[in-house]
Structure formats: structure tokens, C-alpha cells
Amino acid sequence: HCKIDRLKFKGLCCETVISGKKVLLLKPSTFMNLSGQSVTEAMSFFHIPPERTLIVFDDISLDVGRTRIRLKGSAGGHNGMKNIIYLSGSDLFPRIKIGVGSKPEGWDLADWVLSRFTNDEMKTLKTVSENVTDAVELLLSGAPGKAMNRYNS
């Protein structure tokens, strides 16, 4: 564990070890649709290629608590991923998508994704947090197939 509180790369970050690998955890402080600025700055500084840069993000196309792991691909409509792909020039990023549920009719998308989860959703997300932690460890230890079989539901 590490406290993500160091300001660098237009975000908050910390360095830790996961599955025996030195890892930079980065939470961009930019607007979500500009998160590629933060991610590509860190990638450039450490000379990290896209295929070794794991992106974890929310996804409105998945129900709350569902996860989907992909090793590469399009942004799938997510503006943060669009910016990361655009600024890096690559879509070879492994990613873990965490479902936040679809936007209810009449809601503004930004208001929906920034709204609070219900108590039941928070309980579900606690389990999701544990699953994502395990998935990250599997991905970093070279077992992407096992991670996808276990957590792509």
C-alpha cells in the first residue's frame, strides 16, 4: 500500500511494489477528458510503453459492480481513454473497466458519473475493489488470461 499524495505528472501518485514489480500509481488531476496529458507525461518520463501501462476507469456501459478486462482496443466512448489513446498514438493499453451503471433518462452524463453511489452500491464496490486488486496482481504477474477468465463477467 502507498498513499497517493505526491503531486507529479499533472496528478497525484506514489510508487509501490505489486506482484514483485515496481509500480507507479497515478490519479490524474486534469479534467477526465484530458487525462492523457497526465498518463503520457508519466509514460514519457519513465519510458513506459502502452502495453505496460494499465488503465483502470469507470464504464457506464457496465452495471455497477461488473468489471471487464481488455488488453487493448478502442476507447469505447470513454473520453478519458480517447485522450490517452490520442496523445500516446496507441490503443495497446491493458485496461480494467469498472461498471458504474448507465445514465438514467433525464440526467446529464457528468452529473451521473459524479453522483454518489447508494449504500448497496458501495457494498458491491467494496467487493469490486478487492477483485480489481486481484486482477491487477494477476495482470502484473503475467496471467492476463486468468484475470480475464476470473473477472470478465
Side-chain angles (χ1 to χ4, degrees), residues 12 17 32-33 68 100 113 129-130 142 147:
L12 296 172
V17 175
M32 182 271 302
N33 60 341
R68 185 155 299 135
V100 294
V113 296
S129 173
E130 294 164 2

Side-chain angles (χ1 to χ4, degrees), residues 103-142:
K103 173 183 76 75
E105 192 171 326
W107 276 72
D108 174 73
L109 181 59
D111 289 340
W112 172 246
V113 296
L114 295 174
S115 67
R116 296 197 179 275
F117 291 103
T118 66
N119 288 336
D120 287 340
E121 290 170 336
M122 287 301 291
K123 290 175 189 168
T124 299
L125 289 171
K126 182 176 181 350
T127 301
V128 169
S129 173
E130 294 164 2
N131 292 348
V132 167
T133 299
D134 184 53
V136 167
E137 290 172 350
L138 288 168
L139 289 166
L140 292 178
S141 65

Side-chain angles (χ1 to χ4, degrees), residues 58-84:
D58 63 341
D59 190 327
I60 62 168
S61 68
L62 297 173
D63 291 336
V64 174
R66 308 275 292 190
T67 55
R68 185 155 299 135
I69 300 167
R70 294 284 182 258
L71 299 181
K72 62 181 179 178
S74 74
H78 191 280
N79 289 331
M81 277 304 299
K82 282 181 190 174
N83 189 249
I84 292 168

Side-chain angles (χ1 to χ4, degrees), residues 14-56:
C14 71
E15 292 181 35
T16 189
V17 175
I18 302 174
S19 296
K21 310 266 186 200
K22 188 174 179 182
V23 175
L24 174 75
L25 299 176
L26 174 64
K27 179 182 175 186
S29 296
T30 60
F31 287 108
M32 182 271 302
N33 60 341
L34 299 176
S35 53
Q37 295 174 354
S38 177
V39 173
T40 57
E41 191 175 311
M43 290 172 62
S44 177
F45 183 83
F46 289 109
H47 307 287
I48 302 170
E51 56 274 8
R52 293 191 53 219
T53 305
L54 176 62
I55 310 292
V56 180

